[in-house]
Amino acid sequence: MNYYSLNKQAPNTTFKNAVIKGLAPDKGLYFPETITPLPQSFWDNFDHLSYSEIAFEAIKQFVSPEIPEPVLKTIVEETLSFDFPVVTLSEKISTLELFHGPTMAFKDVGARFMARCLGYFNKENPHEVTVLVATSGDTGGAVANGFLGVKGVNVVILYPSGKVSDIQEKQLTTLGQNIKALEVQGTFDDCQAMVKTAFLDETLTSNMQLTSANSINVARWLPQLFYFMFAYKQLHKKHQNIVFSVPSGNFGNICAGMMAQQLGLPITHFVASNNDNNVVTRYLISQLYQPRPSVQTISNAMDVGAPSNFIRIQEIYKNQFETLKENLSSYSFSDEETKTALKELYTEYNYVADPHGAVGYLGCKAFLKENPEAHCVFLETAHPTKFLDVVEEVIKEKQSLPEQIQSVMGKDKVAVEISTYEDLKAFLLN
Ligand SMILES: *Cc1c(COP(=O)(O)O)cnc(C)c1O
């Protein structure tokens, strides 16, 4: 598959190049040249396919021929070596738990897939690749874990000091080996801006091969379409009119769900559930797209003021506002509402959610009010104990830490403090 830049000022390129480069030379995000719906035979057989088989068929067109089929099969199987259970809370609401991977956030899927693709491409490459990534919380840990020990790949993670949870910080600062953490005096937007500047800095790019592992990278973004299919597989015999409510920050996850829809997954609608960082909620009301500086919330992985994947969503719906609106609703919720939702989930359904999942749950409730015929699935994007302070404060019950999290808590943080782009540049050139 070839990819074009959404800025339309750069040549089209292969999957391999799109993965290694991250962003196109004209700063645009890459987008696949074609999206071919999966054949009827795939859907006829859907209930009998394993998750790996579904994922393999779904992603094949986007990565071939550069990744040969037997290699792709292995990559998919290794990526998906944990569970994706749907928990049904009521006749109207279910949750898709995406936190059963090694760092207990949905980003494990994209990070593990991308690490394996890059590892494969890099086998023949004599030069090292540096993965540069900004994190608002969970990306860092998932990328660190996914890329740990991958030969020929160095990983540099930028995170905003004091704005990620303790557990998230441990997950990205304690691995060592080829993983380096930079603690930035600033916000996530500052981290993201530094990363963008680095990609455009010729002194850097002529010295090293930089790539990104944020959802702008096609190999991080596209595999996220898998689990929408897995949820559908678990639910479609019992429920019609399946709608997904996706707690959204950079809008990579929801955009991947829309790709699953383009491949033929019969999803009727998407709900983008936001915290107070609500550019898209406001856009759907006013038709004015106005990025703003991010504000800090208790669902910090969604504290994004300028969602980088929204442009891909617009491309999917051919920049037609009305078509977009038919497929997408968006609501935004305050921290207070989120805490109330956490409490409600616990008291009414005995379900312990994390703050991001709670925002997704609120999105379901808001959507169902206007569309009572739907069955709404909210994505539980992280394990509740990754946000221990908030969760324990609200539900007033001690949570026991799962093994994945216990294992990092005792380790020592290693991070380099930086505050300016010049600091980052000096670090990379060193
Ligand atoms: C990254 C993240 C999100 C937001 O996902 P996007 O793809 O950036 O929209 C939501 N919840 C959690 C827990 C996350 O880590």
Side-chain angles (χ1 to χ4, degrees), residues 19-249:
V19 176
I20 293 175
K21 294 263 184 314
L23 210 57
D26 64 357
K27 309 181 221 175
L29 271 66
Y30 280 117
F31 197 85
E33 271 184 350
T34 54
I35 305 170
T36 309
L38 291 160
Q40 191 53 42
S41 55
F42 171 84
W43 298 111
D44 290 346
N45 209 12
F46 188 69
D47 288 331
H48 308 290
L49 299 175
S50 71
Y51 284 178
S52 294
E53 287 166 339
I54 291 174
F56 171 78
E57 294 299 333
I59 198 93
K60 197 167 63 180
Q61 63 176 294
F62 299 112
V63 307
S64 63
E66 289 119 296
I67 301 200
E69 292 198 357
V71 176
L72 179 61
K73 279 204 170 122
T74 309
I75 291 178
V76 163
E77 276 164 20
E78 289 178 4
T79 299
L80 299 174
S81 62
F82 46 88
D83 295 335
F84 298 85
V86 169
V87 177
T88 294
L89 301 181
S90 73
E91 194 44 43
K92 291 280 137 209
I93 300 181
S94 295
T95 178
L96 168 63
E97 292 186 344
L98 297 176
F99 56 68
H100 295 272
T103 74
M104 313 206 86
F106 77 87
K107 294 188 174 80
D108 280 328
V109 174
R112 286 156 70 85
F113 187 86
M114 178 183 165
R116 283 163 178 79
C117 290
L118 204 55
Y120 174 75
F121 291 140
N122 233 32
K123 268 196 210 140
E124 310 127 48
N125 182 358
H127 306 292
E128 294 205 321
V129 174
T130 299
V131 170
L132 192 57
V133 62
T135 183
S136 57
D138 285 330
T139 304
V143 167
N145 190 286
F147 282 84
L148 184 66
V150 175
K151 266 179 62 188
V153 182
N154 292 312
V155 176
V156 178
I157 300 167
L158 285 77
Y159 72 98
S161 180
K163 297 188 177 66
V164 304
S165 78
D166 289 349
I167 289 167
Q168 289 175 328
E169 185 172 41
K170 288 280 186 184
Q171 285 182 325
L172 61 96
T173 58
T174 60
L175 289 175
Q177 295 186 47
N178 56 333
I179 315 293
K180 303 278 182 299
L182 300 181
E183 181 173 2
V184 177
Q185 300 304 318
T187 62
F188 169 68
D189 290 342
D190 296 328
C191 297
Q192 189 147 279
M194 283 190 198
V195 168
K196 280 195 179 145
T197 311
F199 285 125
L200 302 172
D201 186 332
E202 277 175 21
T203 344
L204 283 181
T205 52
S206 60
N207 265 289
M208 55 180 61
Q209 181 60 61
L210 287 180
T211 191
S212 121
N214 287 96
S215 49
I216 58 170
N217 195 300
V218 293
R220 223 319 284 284
W221 164 56
L222 284 169
Q224 300 178 152
L225 67 84
F226 297 160
Y227 37 72
F228 292 88
M229 297 195 169
F230 303 164
Y232 181 80
K233 184 172 153 105
Q234 291 173 68
L235 282 170
H236 77 100
K237 287 201 185 129
K238 271 185 254 142
H239 299 284
Q240 261 107 54
N241 265 314
I242 293 173
V243 168
F244 284 98
S245 166
V246 186
S248 294

Side-chain angles (χ1 to χ4, degrees), residues 106-107 138 247-253 301-302 356 381-382:
F106 77 87
K107 294 188 174 80
D138 285 330
S248 294
N250 261 322
F251 281 69
N253 209 15
M302 311 198 295
H356 304 78
T381 47

Side-chain angles (χ1 to χ4, degrees), residues 406-417:
Q406 264 176 29
S407 65
V408 294
M409 289 312 279
K411 294 192 188 159
D412 290 329
K413 157 182 166 184
V414 180
V416 175
E417 282 186 34

Side-chain angles (χ1 to χ4, degrees), residues 164-353:
V164 304
S165 78
D166 289 349
I167 289 167
Q168 289 175 328
E169 185 172 41
K170 288 280 186 184
Q171 285 182 325
L172 61 96
T173 58
T174 60
L175 289 175
Q177 295 186 47
N178 56 333
I179 315 293
K180 303 278 182 299
L182 300 181
E183 181 173 2
V184 177
Q185 300 304 318
T187 62
F188 169 68
D189 290 342
D190 296 328
C191 297
Q192 189 147 279
M194 283 190 198
V195 168
K196 280 195 179 145
T197 311
F199 285 125
L200 302 172
D201 186 332
E202 277 175 21
T203 344
L204 283 181
T205 52
S206 60
N207 265 289
M208 55 180 61
Q209 181 60 61
L210 287 180
T211 191
S212 121
N214 287 96
S215 49
I216 58 170
N217 195 300
V218 293
R220 223 319 284 284
W221 164 56
L222 284 169
Q224 300 178 152
L225 67 84
F226 297 160
Y227 37 72
F228 292 88
M229 297 195 169
F230 303 164
Y232 181 80
K233 184 172 153 105
Q234 291 173 68
L235 282 170
H236 77 100
K237 287 201 185 129
K238 271 185 254 142
H239 299 284
Q240 261 107 54
N241 265 314
I242 293 173
V243 168
F244 284 98
S245 166
V246 186
S248 294
N250 261 322
F251 281 69
N253 209 15
I254 193 168
C255 183
M258 291 166 171
M259 292 296 282
Q261 185 188 37
Q262 296 295 305
L263 292 177
L265 187 70
I267 299 170
T268 48
H269 200 82
F270 289 90
V271 178
S273 298
N274 292 327
N275 59 27
D276 278 328
N277 297 281
N278 56 6
V279 198
V280 174
T281 308
R282 284 183 289 109
Y283 172 70
L284 289 180
I285 295 167
S286 66
Q287 216 171 326
L288 292 174
Y289 191 74
Q290 295 172 312
R292 283 188 192 167
S294 59
V295 295
Q296 203 179 336
T297 73
I298 57 169
S299 46
N300 65 33
M302 311 198 295
D303 295 351
V304 180
S308 48
N309 282 287
F310 194 65
I311 184 152
R312 283 189 173 132
I313 293 181
Q314 291 186 300
E315 188 74 5
I316 291 175
Y317 298 113
K318 312 231 160 33
N319 294 300
Q320 300 290 315
F321 184 75
E322 291 309 322
T323 321
L324 175 63
K325 262 194 101 152
E326 276 164 29
N327 278 285
L328 178 69
S329 302
S330 179
Y331 307 94
S332 94
F333 304 97
S334 68
D335 279 356
E336 279 320 303
E337 291 170 303
T338 306
K339 286 184 184 173
T340 308
L342 275 177
K343 180 135 213 165
E344 183 176 309
L345 278 161
Y346 188 58
T347 50
E348 275 193 31
Y349 304 109
N350 200 21
Y351 191 79
V352 181

